[in-house]
Amino acid sequence: MATQASAAEVAFNREHRFFFTSACIMALVLVAGFSTNILFHRSSFSSPILFHVHAVTFFGWVVLYMLQTGLAATGSRALHKRLGWLALAWVPAMVGLGTAITLFSIRASGGPFFFARDEFLIGNPVGILTFAGIVFWAISLRRSTDWHNRLMFCAMASITGPGFGRLLPMSLLMPVAWWTAAVIFPSLFILAGMRRDKRRIGRVHPAYKWGLGLLVGGQLGRV
């Protein structure tokens, strides 16, 4: 009996380490993407204040997600639960700022040239609303840790698109640039989670299927 409990605990810890490691890789993609933007002078610190508020809020979420996965991996569950409630205010702020920055960019320049104007105008809000929906679903299932962890993982993966978009040669990917940066590359994280489940427990958890389906379905809805 003790051996079974010990094996279950080891599996639990390994799972949380996987989520923490993945969170670090996702953060690296985003940091690398936006750092490249500054390095090649595609962006600067003289941008309007809206861009700075947007950046601080979205990167704040990245830090929060990394912290939460780290707390879960180290067994600090009480603090993990308390910090989790920040999402109730943080995510709506991200939705509002994501929509605002989209409208600002459309009015100022028509959006990035490698996206169709309407594609950018509709795709950005749809993407951030998909993210928000998955996060709130995950919060509602916080007592079912298998669902909660995987849905939060899928939500975080869904917003790595801007990082990939700044690392990939987007002008060479037209007219499928949006699908490549916002769907295909973020989906690789979810597929990695699915593969891990298949190897570890012999089946893919349905949370991953829902997460992938919502990511792809959201973009199909945009089209």
Side-chain angles (χ1 to χ4, degrees):
M1 198 75 171
T3 303
Q4 290 180 345
S6 177
E9 185 175 349
V10 168
F12 183 81
N13 291 336
R14 283 178 177 171
E15 183 170 277
H16 280 293
R17 284 199 296 271
F18 166 75
F19 290 126
F20 176 67
T21 302
S22 298
C24 292
I25 296 172
M26 293 179 195
L28 181 62
V29 168
L30 289 165
V31 170
F34 283 89
S35 297
T36 300
N37 235 28
I38 294 172
L39 182 65
F40 288 101
H41 305 290
R42 295 194 295 253
S43 181
S44 75
F45 291 104
S46 62
S47 299
I49 188 64
L50 177 62
F51 285 80
H52 296 287
V53 175
H54 172 271
V56 169
T57 303
F58 274 70
F59 273 105
W61 173 266
V62 174
V63 173
L64 178 61
Y65 181 71
M66 288 181 63
L67 178 60
Q68 285 291 75
T69 55
L71 289 171
T74 56
S76 304
R77 297 173 192 172
L79 181 56
H80 173 90
K81 290 177 181 178
R82 288 198 296 271
L83 286 178
W85 293 111
L86 286 173
L88 293 179
W90 211 301
V91 171
M94 292 171 70
V95 172
L97 286 165
T99 303
I101 208 79
T102 300
L103 294 174
F104 184 96
S105 298
I106 286 290
R107 289 166 178 160
S109 63
F113 73 90
F114 37 77
F115 297 142
R117 180 186 174 96
D118 288 346
E119 181 177 49
F120 181 70
L121 176 63
I122 301 301
N124 252 14
V126 166
I128 194 64
L129 284 170
T130 300
F131 159 79
I134 299 174
V135 169
F136 285 126
W137 187 16
I139 292 173
S140 73
L141 295 175
R142 60 191 178 278
R143 297 185 187 279
S144 302
T145 56
D146 54 334
W147 277 87
H148 175 78
N149 295 335
R150 287 165 175 80
L151 287 174
M152 290 298 293
F153 174 87
C154 292
M156 183 63 209
S158 75
I159 58 170
T160 58
F164 285 117
R166 286 160 174 80
L167 293 171
L168 296 169
M170 299 297 279
S171 59
L172 301 179
L173 296 172
M174 298 167 65
V176 294
W178 188 277
W179 275 95
T180 303
V183 181
I184 295 174
F185 273 83
S187 293
L188 295 178
F189 288 114
I190 302 176
L191 292 173
M194 296 171 79
R195 181 173 181 271
R196 185 184 185 281
D197 266 10
K198 187 68 175 177
R199 292 179 62 187
R200 294 285 181 178
I201 61 177
R203 63 182 179 86
V204 175
H205 195 285
Y208 283 133
K209 298 177 182 179
W210 275 101
L212 185 60
L214 288 169
L215 177 60
V216 175
Q219 296 309 314
L220 287 173
R222 169 191 62 78
V223 173

